[in-house]
Each structure stands twice: as structure tokens, then as C-alpha cells.
């Protein structure tokens, strides 16, 4: 087999390299395989295959020994949900749900974020309370018209494969390329930049090793969790890997930082026809949590719902300024009244129930 290197070293019959000829002869003299192979049970052809057990296992395990959530034994229940919309017939959806194990109040990095000025004590309290309306940091649900949603803020993947979750994962990839490879890419998930934004793809042996997105991914995620399926709870390799990724320390931090950023954006929104942002009208933790809760679930409806609530408040108090900084010593009472109007009337799913829950916490 050493003759195969002749061309590489520049040896040929017409232009021999004497040193190379001598080296091959030396190798032949000290070779012993062919002489002993048959007698001791070694392959006569000289081809040896060896698997390094530790190295092999290392290819499938992440640093915490739990590749793609394989050791978490995550099982998903089936949930039935009826979508009710005025002027439209009811729509019934079925899909997997996993409520998760780790709430935001168990995030170990809160004090570090506060000490570095990346969060305040009020923001911590608001985010923890509001996230209880959404789910645990590793919560997954795929029972509505979206493909699935994940994490403490339940960021979604749309039926087309776009949405806030692909955007969040893409940002994580940009900041942590090696970790992205470890907790997402090795588990079959990828993010691509396309004309309409960041789009998520999934590939596994169950997809024929093809990367799928859009309707194919939507159908794949909900497969075996339909109305006529049974034997729940059951596993979902694709969704379990997402739940596992959500629990990585660095992705937990990403979720918290994004939650705080989202609250600041929500509070900067202007009610329709008013010049003061939501943060001026709501100084309390409860008021600000309600705005965040609204913005996470129905961001486009926030300015209109705020306007409606403020209009009602001002109609009850003729002469009251539309600028909350002018409310004087009664400002807390006016805010409390505004909260009581806005909380249960927000244009979103289950506003009253979510308002009552937040009020009990804050």
C-alpha cells in the first residue's frame, strides 16, 4: 500500500527517488502483520476497525450529558382548544403541550442582571408575575393555529415557519455560535434568513433527513396528537429538543433579557390619540404587568385598548388632564381606576382571567 504514495512524493520508474525506494524496503523488513494475522485471528487484508467508546458517546452528548433532551424523559399531553371569534364559526384545534419544570423566579441570574444594571427589582417582580400567565422557561405548546410556541414568553413559530421564536434563536446563534451548534443544530434545528425574515427548519430520521418548514413542519409537529389519536402522554423528539435548549443557562438568560426588553418596548407605546406613553399612565407593578401581558399576546391591540380605557377614565372625571403627570396627589387613585378598566377589557384572549391572576400576584 505504500506504493500508493509514489506519485505524491514524485517517484516513478523513469525518475526514481532512491531514498524513497530504500524507505519502502525498510518498512517491508519490519512489517509483521501478514506473518501473524491468520494465526492470531487478525484480518488478513490488514484493515482494522476500532470504535473509541468514550469518543462515540461524546458525539451524542452535550456537556451536561443530555443531548437534545434525551435524558429528560419529556412527555407531551394532548390539548383541545376551541377558537371563538365573533362573526366566525368555532374552530377546534388539537396538539401537544408540555408545561415545563422551571419558572422564571428560579432563574439563577437575576441578581447578576440587577447588579449590572440590566434589570431592576421592579422589572424582576413584573416579569416573574406576568410569565406565570405564559408558562415555565421550558414550556412548549402546539395546540393552536400556530406551529408551536416555547419558553417563558411563549414565542411562536407561525404556520409558515417564521415568528418571534426563530428570530430569538437566530439572535442567540449570532451571539453564541458554538452553543447554537450544540443545543439546536445537532438536534436538527436550523435558522435561515429568507425574504420574509428568519425561518426555522427541522430535520431528523423521521423527516427522511430532509429539512422541513412551513406546512410540512406544522403537520409534523402535530402528528399523533390529533382528535383520533391515543396513548397520551407521549414523546416528541423534535419538541423535547426545544424544551431542552430552553433550559440551557445561556438561553435562560436570553429569555429573561428579551422579556425585560419586551416590557420596555410595550411601556413606550402610545395610546391612540394621546401623547404620553403607557409608562406615564402606569407607575405600579400591576399596571405595567398588564401592559406587558397585553403586548406579548396581542401587540397590535395595545394602543387601541389603552385609548379606550383612558377615554372611559376621563369621561368619569370631567376636567381631568390627559397628561398623567398633572394628576397630582390623586394620581395613584386614578391609576387604580384605570387598571380596573383596562385589565379586564383588553383586546386579547382571556383578559379578565389573566387580569385577576396578575392582580393576585402584584
Amino acid at each position: 500500500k505504500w506504493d500508493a504514495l509514489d506519485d505524491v512524493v514524485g517517484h516513478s520508474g523513469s525518475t526514481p527517488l532512491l531514498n524513497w525506494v530504500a524507505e519502502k524496503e525498510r518498512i517491508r523488513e519490519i512489517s509483521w502483520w501478514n506473518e501473524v494475522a491468520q494465526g492470531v485471528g487478525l484480518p488478513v487484508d490488514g484493515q482494522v476497525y476500532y470504535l473509541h467508546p468514550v469518543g462515540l458517546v461524546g458525539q451524542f452528548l452535550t456537556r451536561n450529558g443530555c443531548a437534545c433532551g434525551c435524558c429528560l424523559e419529556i412527555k407531551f399531553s394532548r390539548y383541545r382548544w376551541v377558537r371563538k371569534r365573533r362573526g366566525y364559526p368555532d374552530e377546534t384545534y388539537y396538539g401537544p403541550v408540555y408545561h415545563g419544570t422551571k419558572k422564571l423566579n428560579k432563574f439563577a441570574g437575576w441578581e447578576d442582571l440587577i447588579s449590572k444594571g440590566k434589570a431592576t427589582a421592579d422589572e424582576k417582580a413584573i416579569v416573574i408575575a406576568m410569565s406565570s400567565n405564559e408558562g415555565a422557561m421550558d414550556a412548549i405548546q402546539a395546540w393552536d393555529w400556530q406551529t408551536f410556541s416555547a419558553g417563558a414568553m411563549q414565542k411562536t413559530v407561525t404556520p409558515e415557519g417564521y415568528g418571534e421564536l426563530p428570530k430569538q434563536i437566530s439572535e442567540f446563534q449570532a451571539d453564541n455560535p458554538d452553543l447554537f451548534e450544540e443545543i439546536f443544530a445537532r438536534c436538527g434545528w436550523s435558522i435561515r434568513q429568507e425574504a420574509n425574515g428568519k425561518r426555522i427548519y427541522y430535520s431528523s430520521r423521521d423527516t427522511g433527513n430532509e429539512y422541513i418548514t412551513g406546512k410540512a413542519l406544522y403537520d409534523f409537529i402535530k402528528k399523533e396528537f390529533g382528535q383520533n389519536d391515543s396513548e397520551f402522554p407521549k414523546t416528541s423528539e423534535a419538541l423535547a429538543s426545544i424544551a431542552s435548549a430552553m433550559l440551557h443557562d445561556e438561553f435562560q438568560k436570553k429569555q429573561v433579557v428579551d422579556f425585560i426588553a419586551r416590557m420596555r418596548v410595550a411601556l413606550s407605546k402610545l395610546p391612540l390619540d394621546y401623547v404620553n406613553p403607557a409608562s406615564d399612565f402606569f407607575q405600579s407593578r400591576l399596571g405595567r404587568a398588564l401592559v406587558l401581558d397585553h403586548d406579548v399576546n396581542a401587540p397590535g391591540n395595545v394602543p387601541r385598548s389603552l385609548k379606550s380605557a383612558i377615554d372611559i377614565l376621563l369621561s368619569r372625571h370631567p376636567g381631568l388632564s390627559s397628561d398623567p403627570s398633572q394628576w397630582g396627589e390623586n394620581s395613584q387613585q386614578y391609576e387604580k381606576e384605570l387598571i380596573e378598566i383596562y385589565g379586564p377589557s383588553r383586546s386579547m384572549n382571556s383578559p379578565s382571567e389573566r387580569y385577576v391572576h396578575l392582580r393576585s400576584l402584584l
Side-chain angles (χ1 to χ4, degrees), residues 209-248:
N209 295 317
E210 293 185 5
Y211 279 93
I212 60 173
T213 190
K215 186 178 186 304
L217 179 60
Y218 180 96
D219 292 340
F220 178 82
I221 290 296
K222 298 174 191 294
K223 184 180 178 181
E224 298 185 3
F225 288 88
Q227 180 178 3
N228 298 321
D229 293 313
S230 59
E231 299 182 8
F232 301 104
K234 62 177 65 174
T235 59
S236 169
E237 183 178 299
L239 293 181
S241 66
I242 291 290
S244 176
M246 297 289 114
L247 283 179
H248 192 283

mmCIF file of all heavy atoms in Angstrom, residues 209-248:
data_model
loop_
_atom_site.group_PDB
_atom_site.id
_atom_site.type_symbol
_atom_site.label_atom_id
_atom_site.label_comp_id
_atom_site.label_asym_id
_atom_site.label_seq_id
_atom_site.Cartn_x
_atom_site.Cartn_y
_atom_site.Cartn_z
ATOM 1 N N ASN A 209 -34.589 12.779 6.871
ATOM 2 C CA ASN A 209 -33.374 13.606 6.874
ATOM 3 C C ASN A 209 -33.484 14.809 5.943
ATOM 4 O O ASN A 209 -32.470 15.379 5.536
ATOM 5 C CB ASN A 209 -32.140 12.767 6.522
ATOM 6 C CG ASN A 209 -31.852 11.717 7.577
ATOM 7 O OD1 ASN A 209 -31.918 11.985 8.773
ATOM 8 N ND2 ASN A 209 -31.565 10.502 7.127
ATOM 9 N N GLU A 210 -34.701 15.202 5.632
ATOM 10 C CA GLU A 210 -34.938 16.418 4.860
ATOM 11 C C GLU A 210 -35.303 17.551 5.810
ATOM 12 O O GLU A 210 -35.992 17.340 6.809
ATOM 13 C CB GLU A 210 -36.070 16.212 3.853
ATOM 14 C CG GLU A 210 -35.747 15.228 2.744
ATOM 15 C CD GLU A 210 -36.866 15.154 1.715
ATOM 16 O OE1 GLU A 210 -37.825 15.952 1.835
ATOM 17 O OE2 GLU A 210 -36.786 14.313 0.813
ATOM 18 N N TYR A 211 -34.843 18.759 5.498
ATOM 19 C CA TYR A 211 -35.193 19.918 6.314
ATOM 20 C C TYR A 211 -36.573 20.417 5.895
ATOM 21 O O TYR A 211 -36.796 20.727 4.726
ATOM 22 C CB TYR A 211 -34.149 21.020 6.159
ATOM 23 C CG TYR A 211 -32.933 20.787 7.017
ATOM 24 C CD1 TYR A 211 -31.817 20.122 6.513
ATOM 25 C CD2 TYR A 211 -32.910 21.199 8.344
ATOM 26 C CE1 TYR A 211 -30.704 19.886 7.311
ATOM 27 C CE2 TYR A 211 -31.803 20.968 9.152
ATOM 28 C CZ TYR A 211 -30.711 20.317 8.630
ATOM 29 O OH TYR A 211 -29.620 20.080 9.426
ATOM 30 N N ILE A 212 -37.479 20.471 6.865
ATOM 31 C CA ILE A 212 -38.852 20.870 6.570
ATOM 32 C C ILE A 212 -39.197 22.148 7.329
ATOM 33 O O ILE A 212 -38.645 22.443 8.388
ATOM 34 C CB ILE A 212 -39.856 19.760 6.936
ATOM 35 C CG1 ILE A 212 -39.775 19.424 8.438
ATOM 36 C CG2 ILE A 212 -39.617 18.523 6.090
ATOM 37 C CD1 ILE A 212 -40.854 18.459 8.902
ATOM 38 N N THR A 213 -40.131 22.897 6.777
ATOM 39 C CA THR A 213 -40.642 24.103 7.417
ATOM 40 C C THR A 213 -42.052 24.333 6.898
ATOM 41 O O THR A 213 -42.603 23.499 6.173
ATOM 42 C CB THR A 213 -39.730 25.312 7.129
ATOM 43 O OG1 THR A 213 -40.131 26.417 7.958
ATOM 44 C CG2 THR A 213 -39.783 25.726 5.673
ATOM 45 N N GLY A 214 -42.662 25.439 7.285
ATOM 46 C CA GLY A 214 -43.992 25.755 6.783
ATOM 47 C C GLY A 214 -45.024 24.705 7.139
ATOM 48 O O GLY A 214 -45.033 24.161 8.242
ATOM 49 N N LYS A 215 -45.901 24.394 6.196
ATOM 50 C CA LYS A 215 -46.984 23.441 6.450
ATOM 51 C C LYS A 215 -46.453 22.052 6.797
ATOM 52 O O LYS A 215 -47.029 21.350 7.637
ATOM 53 C CB LYS A 215 -47.910 23.345 5.241
ATOM 54 C CG LYS A 215 -49.146 22.479 5.496
ATOM 55 C CD LYS A 215 -50.067 22.433 4.296
ATOM 56 C CE LYS A 215 -51.357 21.675 4.632
ATOM 57 N NZ LYS A 215 -51.127 20.313 5.129
ATOM 58 N N ALA A 216 -45.358 21.653 6.159
ATOM 59 C CA ALA A 216 -44.791 20.332 6.450
ATOM 60 C C ALA A 216 -44.365 20.243 7.910
ATOM 61 O O ALA A 216 -44.601 19.230 8.581
ATOM 62 C CB ALA A 216 -43.608 20.052 5.530
ATOM 63 N N LEU A 217 -43.758 21.306 8.430
ATOM 64 C CA LEU A 217 -43.351 21.317 9.835
ATOM 65 C C LEU A 217 -44.572 21.388 10.743
ATOM 66 O O LEU A 217 -44.631 20.705 11.773
ATOM 67 C CB LEU A 217 -42.422 22.503 10.098
ATOM 68 C CG LEU A 217 -41.927 22.663 11.539
ATOM 69 C CD1 LEU A 217 -41.149 21.433 11.990
ATOM 70 C CD2 LEU A 217 -41.057 23.914 11.677
ATOM 71 N N TYR A 218 -45.548 22.194 10.374
ATOM 72 C CA TYR A 218 -46.790 22.309 11.152
ATOM 73 C C TYR A 218 -47.442 20.936 11.314
ATOM 74 O O TYR A 218 -47.791 20.522 12.427
ATOM 75 C CB TYR A 218 -47.737 23.276 10.440
ATOM 76 C CG TYR A 218 -49.071 23.489 11.121
ATOM 77 C CD1 TYR A 218 -49.276 24.572 11.964
ATOM 78 C CD2 TYR A 218 -50.137 22.616 10.905
ATOM 79 C CE1 TYR A 218 -50.506 24.781 12.584
ATOM 80 C CE2 TYR A 218 -51.364 22.806 11.522
ATOM 81 C CZ TYR A 218 -51.543 23.892 12.358
ATOM 82 O OH TYR A 218 -52.751 24.083 12.977
ATOM 83 N N ASP A 219 -47.595 20.223 10.214
ATOM 84 C CA ASP A 219 -48.229 18.900 10.263
ATOM 85 C C ASP A 219 -47.374 17.902 11.039
ATOM 86 O O ASP A 219 -47.900 17.059 11.780
ATOM 87 C CB ASP A 219 -48.468 18.378 8.840
ATOM 88 C CG ASP A 219 -49.520 19.187 8.092
ATOM 89 O OD1 ASP A 219 -50.316 19.884 8.751
ATOM 90 O OD2 ASP A 219 -49.530 19.127 6.844
ATOM 91 N N PHE A 220 -46.059 17.998 10.886
ATOM 92 C CA PHE A 220 -45.151 17.066 11.558
ATOM 93 C C PHE A 220 -45.230 17.231 13.079
ATOM 94 O O PHE A 220 -45.282 16.245 13.821
ATOM 95 C CB PHE A 220 -43.722 17.307 11.076
ATOM 96 C CG PHE A 220 -42.694 16.442 11.737
ATOM 97 C CD1 PHE A 220 -42.478 15.141 11.309
ATOM 98 C CD2 PHE A 220 -41.939 16.923 12.800
ATOM 99 C CE1 PHE A 220 -41.527 14.334 11.928
ATOM 100 C CE2 PHE A 220 -40.993 16.125 13.423
ATOM 101 C CZ PHE A 220 -40.788 14.825 12.985
ATOM 102 N N ILE A 221 -45.257 18.470 13.550
ATOM 103 C CA ILE A 221 -45.282 18.738 14.988
ATOM 104 C C ILE A 221 -46.572 18.218 15.621
ATOM 105 O O ILE A 221 -46.576 17.690 16.739
ATOM 106 C CB ILE A 221 -45.125 20.249 15.253
ATOM 107 C CG1 ILE A 221 -43.701 20.708 14.898
ATOM 108 C CG2 ILE A 221 -45.455 20.597 16.702
ATOM 109 C CD1 ILE A 221 -42.611 20.091 15.735
ATOM 110 N N LYS A 222 -47.684 18.339 14.913
ATOM 111 C CA LYS A 222 -48.977 17.960 15.482
ATOM 112 C C LYS A 222 -49.360 16.505 15.191
ATOM 113 O O LYS A 222 -50.373 16.012 15.704
ATOM 114 C CB LYS A 222 -50.056 18.912 14.956
ATOM 115 C CG LYS A 222 -49.794 20.368 15.368
ATOM 116 C CD LYS A 222 -50.769 21.337 14.731
ATOM 117 C CE LYS A 222 -50.312 22.773 14.935
ATOM 118 N NZ LYS A 222 -50.340 23.208 16.338
ATOM 119 N N LYS A 223 -48.531 15.837 14.401
ATOM 120 C CA LYS A 223 -48.800 14.442 14.069
ATOM 121 C C LYS A 223 -48.857 13.592 15.335
ATOM 122 O O LYS A 223 -48.049 13.757 16.247
ATOM 123 C CB LYS A 223 -47.696 13.924 13.138
ATOM 124 C CG LYS A 223 -47.894 12.505 12.642
ATOM 125 C CD LYS A 223 -46.735 12.103 11.731
ATOM 126 C CE LYS A 223 -46.879 10.669 11.247
ATOM 127 N NZ LYS A 223 -45.731 10.268 10.387
ATOM 128 N N GLU A 224 -49.826 12.698 15.394
ATOM 129 C CA GLU A 224 -50.051 11.774 16.516
ATOM 130 C C GLU A 224 -50.628 12.458 17.754
ATOM 131 O O GLU A 224 -50.705 11.855 18.824
ATOM 132 C CB GLU A 224 -48.766 11.021 16.885
ATOM 133 C CG GLU A 224 -48.236 10.150 15.751
ATOM 134 C CD GLU A 224 -47.032 9.324 16.167
ATOM 135 O OE1 GLU A 224 -46.648 9.381 17.349
ATOM 136 O OE2 GLU A 224 -46.477 8.623 15.301
ATOM 137 N N PHE A 225 -51.046 13.720 17.611
ATOM 138 C CA PHE A 225 -51.705 14.411 18.718
ATOM 139 C C PHE A 225 -53.085 14.919 18.291
ATOM 140 O O PHE A 225 -53.603 15.878 18.855
ATOM 141 C CB PHE A 225 -50.847 15.583 19.210
ATOM 142 C CG PHE A 225 -49.619 15.150 19.965
ATOM 143 C CD1 PHE A 225 -48.434 14.891 19.289
ATOM 144 C CD2 PHE A 225 -49.649 14.984 21.338
ATOM 145 C CE1 PHE A 225 -47.298 14.484 19.974
ATOM 146 C CE2 PHE A 225 -48.518 14.577 22.036
ATOM 147 C CZ PHE A 225 -47.338 14.325 21.348
ATOM 148 N N GLY A 226 -53.659 14.274 17.280
ATOM 149 C CA GLY A 226 -54.942 14.694 16.756
ATOM 150 C C GLY A 226 -56.119 14.143 17.540
ATOM 151 O O GLY A 226 -55.970 13.417 18.532
ATOM 152 N N GLN A 227 -57.304 14.459 17.065
ATOM 153 C CA GLN A 227 -58.538 14.069 17.750
ATOM 154 C C GLN A 227 -58.662 12.563 17.901
ATOM 155 O O GLN A 227 -59.151 12.069 18.926
ATOM 156 C CB GLN A 227 -59.742 14.620 16.974
ATOM 157 C CG GLN A 227 -61.088 14.268 17.589
ATOM 158 C CD GLN A 227 -62.244 14.867 16.810
ATOM 159 O OE1 GLN A 227 -62.048 15.505 15.773
ATOM 160 N NE2 GLN A 227 -63.455 14.679 17.304
ATOM 161 N N ASN A 228 -58.230 11.809 16.909
ATOM 162 C CA ASN A 228 -58.423 10.360 16.917
ATOM 163 C C ASN A 228 -57.216 9.584 17.436
ATOM 164 O O ASN A 228 -57.217 8.350 17.410
ATOM 165 C CB ASN A 228 -58.774 9.883 15.504
ATOM 166 C CG ASN A 228 -60.070 10.490 14.997
ATOM 167 O OD1 ASN A 228 -61.028 10.638 15.750
ATOM 168 N ND2 ASN A 228 -60.090 10.866 13.722
ATOM 169 N N ASP A 229 -56.190 10.291 17.890
ATOM 170 C CA ASP A 229 -55.007 9.614 18.420
ATOM 171 C C ASP A 229 -55.208 9.263 19.893
ATOM 172 O O ASP A 229 -56.130 9.755 20.551
ATOM 173 C CB ASP A 229 -53.769 10.494 18.238
ATOM 174 C CG ASP A 229 -53.407 10.673 16.775
ATOM 175 O OD1 ASP A 229 -53.377 9.665 16.055
ATOM 176 O OD2 ASP A 229 -53.177 11.825 16.348
ATOM 177 N N SER A 230 -54.327 8.420 20.426
ATOM 178 C CA SER A 230 -54.484 7.956 21.812
ATOM 179 C C SER A 230 -53.118 7.701 22.432
ATOM 180 O O SER A 230 -52.084 8.060 21.867
ATOM 181 C CB SER A 230 -55.331 6.678 21.838
ATOM 182 O OG SER A 230 -54.728 5.662 21.054
ATOM 183 N N GLU A 231 -53.139 7.082 23.608
ATOM 184 C CA GLU A 231 -51.933 6.708 24.353
ATOM 185 C C GLU A 231 -51.121 7.928 24.774
ATOM 186 O O GLU A 231 -49.919 8.038 24.510
ATOM 187 C CB GLU A 231 -51.068 5.736 23.542
ATOM 188 C CG GLU A 231 -51.780 4.432 23.215
ATOM 189 C CD GLU A 231 -50.896 3.464 22.446
ATOM 190 O OE1 GLU A 231 -49.684 3.748 22.312
ATOM 191 O OE2 GLU A 231 -51.414 2.444 21.983
ATOM 192 N N PHE A 232 -51.796 8.853 25.437
ATOM 193 C CA PHE A 232 -51.126 10.040 25.962
ATOM 194 C C PHE A 232 -50.810 9.846 27.442
ATOM 195 O O PHE A 232 -51.525 9.121 28.135
ATOM 196 C CB PHE A 232 -52.028 11.269 25.767
ATOM 197 C CG PHE A 232 -52.380 11.526 24.333
ATOM 198 C CD1 PHE A 232 -53.640 11.200 23.852
ATOM 199 C CD2 PHE A 232 -51.459 12.070 23.460
ATOM 200 C CE1 PHE A 232 -53.975 11.419 22.528
ATOM 201 C CE2 PHE A 232 -51.779 12.290 22.133
ATOM 202 C CZ PHE A 232 -53.045 11.967 21.666
ATOM 203 N N PRO A 233 -49.752 10.505 27.957
ATOM 204 C CA PRO A 233 -48.801 11.358 27.237
ATOM 205 C C PRO A 233 -47.818 10.536 26.420
ATOM 206 O O PRO A 233 -47.625 9.355 26.671
ATOM 207 C CB PRO A 233 -48.089 12.102 28.369
ATOM 208 C CG PRO A 233 -48.129 11.146 29.511
ATOM 209 C CD PRO A 233 -49.451 10.429 29.405
ATOM 210 N N LYS A 234 -47.203 11.189 25.445
ATOM 211 C CA LYS A 234 -46.247 10.507 24.581
ATOM 212 C C LYS A 234 -45.092 11.447 24.251
ATOM 213 O O LYS A 234 -45.149 12.647 24.532
ATOM 214 C CB LYS A 234 -46.922 10.013 23.308
ATOM 215 C CG LYS A 234 -47.513 11.113 22.444
ATOM 216 C CD LYS A 234 -48.101 10.559 21.151
ATOM 217 C CE LYS A 234 -49.283 9.649 21.384
ATOM 218 N NZ LYS A 234 -49.942 9.237 20.106
ATOM 219 N N THR A 235 -44.070 10.884 23.658
ATOM 220 C CA THR A 235 -42.871 11.667 23.374
ATOM 221 C C THR A 235 -42.988 12.423 22.056
ATOM 222 O O THR A 235 -43.784 12.077 21.184
ATOM 223 C CB THR A 235 -41.633 10.759 23.308
ATOM 224 O OG1 THR A 235 -41.828 9.784 22.274
ATOM 225 C CG2 THR A 235 -41.404 10.062 24.640
ATOM 226 N N SER A 236 -42.176 13.458 21.937
ATOM 227 C CA SER A 236 -41.989 14.193 20.689
ATOM 228 C C SER A 236 -40.527 14.607 20.662
ATOM 229 O O SER A 236 -40.117 15.521 21.378
ATOM 230 C CB SER A 236 -42.886 15.432 20.618
ATOM 231 O OG SER A 236 -42.509 16.259 19.522
ATOM 232 N N GLU A 237 -39.746 13.902 19.875
ATOM 233 C CA GLU A 237 -38.302 14.153 19.842
ATOM 234 C C GLU A 237 -37.993 15.591 19.446
ATOM 235 O O GLU A 237 -37.119 16.237 20.032
ATOM 236 C CB GLU A 237 -37.646 13.182 18.865
ATOM 237 C CG GLU A 237 -36.137 13.288 18.791
ATOM 238 C CD GLU A 237 -35.538 12.262 17.842
ATOM 239 O OE1 GLU A 237 -35.714 11.051 18.092
ATOM 240 O OE2 GLU A 237 -34.913 12.677 16.847
ATOM 241 N N ALA A 238 -38.724 16.106 18.471
ATOM 242 C CA ALA A 238 -38.464 17.465 17.991
ATOM 243 C C ALA A 238 -38.731 18.495 19.081
ATOM 244 O O ALA A 238 -37.906 19.375 19.347
ATOM 245 C CB ALA A 238 -39.324 17.753 16.764
ATOM 246 N N LEU A 239 -39.890 18.403 19.729
ATOM 247 C CA LEU A 239 -40.245 19.389 20.743
ATOM 248 C C LEU A 239 -39.440 19.205 22.026
ATOM 249 O O LEU A 239 -39.139 20.182 22.724
ATOM 250 C CB LEU A 239 -41.744 19.321 21.041
ATOM 251 C CG LEU A 239 -42.661 19.750 19.889
ATOM 252 C CD1 LEU A 239 -44.121 19.659 20.312
ATOM 253 C CD2 LEU A 239 -42.331 21.160 19.416
ATOM 254 N N ALA A 240 -39.081 17.966 22.350
ATOM 255 C CA ALA A 240 -38.257 17.731 23.540
ATOM 256 C C ALA A 240 -36.902 18.417 23.397
ATOM 257 O O ALA A 240 -36.351 18.940 24.375
ATOM 258 C CB ALA A 240 -38.074 16.240 23.776
ATOM 259 N N SER A 241 -36.365 18.424 22.187
ATOM 260 C CA SER A 241 -35.072 19.079 21.982
ATOM 261 C C SER A 241 -35.187 20.588 22.159
ATOM 262 O O SER A 241 -34.258 21.240 22.642
ATOM 263 C CB SER A 241 -34.514 18.740 20.596
ATOM 264 O OG SER A 241 -35.321 19.278 19.561
ATOM 265 N N ILE A 242 -36.333 21.166 21.786
ATOM 266 C CA ILE A 242 -36.552 22.596 22.012
ATOM 267 C C ILE A 242 -36.654 22.877 23.508
ATOM 268 O O ILE A 242 -36.056 23.831 24.027
ATOM 269 C CB ILE A 242 -37.825 23.073 21.291
ATOM 270 C CG1 ILE A 242 -37.622 23.054 19.772
ATOM 271 C CG2 ILE A 242 -38.217 24.474 21.751
ATOM 272 C CD1 ILE A 242 -36.668 24.105 19.249
ATOM 273 N N ALA A 243 -37.406 22.048 24.233
ATOM 274 C CA ALA A 243 -37.539 22.230 25.683
ATOM 275 C C ALA A 243 -36.181 22.147 26.361
ATOM 276 O O ALA A 243 -35.874 22.922 27.273
ATOM 277 C CB ALA A 243 -38.490 21.178 26.254
ATOM 278 N N SER A 244 -35.358 21.210 25.912
ATOM 279 C CA SER A 244 -34.018 21.063 26.475
ATOM 280 C C SER A 244 -33.176 22.307 26.219
ATOM 281 O O SER A 244 -32.473 22.797 27.108
ATOM 282 C CB SER A 244 -33.336 19.831 25.873
ATOM 283 O OG SER A 244 -32.007 19.710 26.326
ATOM 284 N N ALA A 245 -33.246 22.838 25.003
ATOM 285 C CA ALA A 245 -32.475 24.038 24.665
ATOM 286 C C ALA A 245 -32.911 25.229 25.517
ATOM 287 O O ALA A 245 -32.082 26.044 25.937
ATOM 288 C CB ALA A 245 -32.638 24.360 23.182
ATOM 289 N N MET A 246 -34.213 25.322 25.777
ATOM 290 C CA MET A 246 -34.724 26.426 26.586
ATOM 291 C C MET A 246 -34.114 26.436 27.988
ATOM 292 O O MET A 246 -34.026 27.479 28.632
ATOM 293 C CB MET A 246 -36.248 26.329 26.722
ATOM 294 C CG MET A 246 -37.044 26.436 25.435
ATOM 295 S SD MET A 246 -37.057 28.084 24.706
ATOM 296 C CE MET A 246 -36.152 27.752 23.188
ATOM 297 N N LEU A 247 -33.692 25.267 28.474
ATOM 298 C CA LEU A 247 -33.170 25.151 29.834
ATOM 299 C C LEU A 247 -31.672 25.415 29.937
ATOM 300 O O LEU A 247 -31.140 25.470 31.051
ATOM 301 C CB LEU A 247 -33.471 23.757 30.397
ATOM 302 C CG LEU A 247 -34.903 23.505 30.877
ATOM 303 C CD1 LEU A 247 -35.040 22.080 31.386
ATOM 304 C CD2 LEU A 247 -35.298 24.497 31.962
ATOM 305 N N HIS A 248 -30.993 25.554 28.814
ATOM 306 C CA HIS A 248 -29.563 25.849 28.899
ATOM 307 C C HIS A 248 -29.372 27.194 29.598
ATOM 308 O O HIS A 248 -30.123 28.148 29.377
ATOM 309 C CB HIS A 248 -28.942 25.891 27.506
ATOM 310 C CG HIS A 248 -27.445 25.903 27.533
ATOM 311 N ND1 HIS A 248 -26.720 27.034 27.846
ATOM 312 C CD2 HIS A 248 -26.538 24.923 27.312
ATOM 313 C CE1 HIS A 248 -25.431 26.756 27.802
ATOM 314 N NE2 HIS A 248 -25.287 25.480 27.480
#
